[in-house]
Amino acid sequence: MAKSKNTNSILFLFEGETEGEFYKIFFDKLPKRKIRISPSNLKGVYGLNNKVRSKIVTYLKNSKFDDCNNIHVYVAYDREGIRSCTPLLDKSDLVKEFVDCKNSRVASINEIIATQDLESWLFYDLEGIYKFLKVPKSKRKMNAYPNTESVNNNHLSALFHRYDNHYQKGSRVEGFLNSLDMEKIYGSVNEIQKAIKDITNLIKEA
């Protein structure tokens, strides 16, 4: 008996270029895709709800996605503060508008929130950062950042600057992310693990 068609599709919205490069590394390792995954850059988090709303509406109106009847939206963005800070996205408002309404094609809206920001997660592979910056082993302070949630993109930028390199949040850093141990980062971040496992399950559904 032929398998039924997988009706799932994913609209993956990410905060900026850094996030786009970061998640692409994980997406490239997903099982052979049986569903459509559509990434889209939000270009910042100002007016986040309105930006997400606009992306969903545009997706729903695009005739290329008319056959996507079970759409799962993922929004990857920075908390921009400690874990107790209120998330920038009002997910409940979007769920009411797009998921709870009658005959909706949007099945779920999901968040991937980096605390404090995505750069905080990169410090799980501090050794990889030092290697990329070509810092001599004798000068590598492996205990300098014991709590990744206490650091952010400003600390990463300062570390780059200390060793005559430049890092600016939202800009591409050629080869930097690919030089890091993404397996180590994945194994340390529950938010990434949950999202990738959920997406993998959606891909495998028939």
Side-chain angles (χ1 to χ4, degrees), residues 144-161:
Y145 309 96
N147 179 7
T148 60
E149 291 192 7
S150 69
V151 295
N152 54 39
N153 70 91
N154 293 320
H155 295 86
L156 185 62
S157 179
L159 184 58
F160 266 62
H161 183 71

Side-chain angles (χ1 to χ4, degrees), residues 41-79:
N41 189 346
L42 292 166
K43 298 181 180 179
V45 293
Y46 178 78
L48 185 57
N49 267 61
N50 287 334
K51 286 183 175 181
V52 172
R53 180 178 291 107
S54 177
K55 293 284 187 181
I56 295 174
V57 170
T58 299
Y59 187 91
L60 291 170
K61 289 182 177 180
N62 192 327
S63 60
K64 291 193 304 182
F65 306 120
D66 281 347
D67 60 339
C68 297
N69 296 316
N70 207 26
I71 303 164
H72 298 268
V73 180
Y74 283 82
V75 188
Y77 67 98
D78 295 340
R79 192 179 298 274

Side-chain angles (χ1 to χ4, degrees), residues 5-27:
K5 182 180 178 181
N6 191 332
T7 62
N8 294 313
S9 66
I10 293 171
L11 174 59
F12 192 88
L13 308 177
F14 53 90
E15 179 176 334
E17 288 188 1
T18 306
E19 285 79 9
E21 288 190 56
F22 180 83
Y23 286 103
K24 183 179 183 300
I25 294 172
F26 293 104
F27 283 173

Side-chain angles (χ1 to χ4, degrees), residues 90-105:
D90 184 352
K91 190 178 85 167
S92 62
D93 185 53
L94 294 170
V95 168
K96 288 178 183 177
E97 182 174 355
F98 292 105
V99 180
D100 294 342
C101 58
K102 187 177 180 180
N103 298 322
S104 175
R105 293 161 56 206

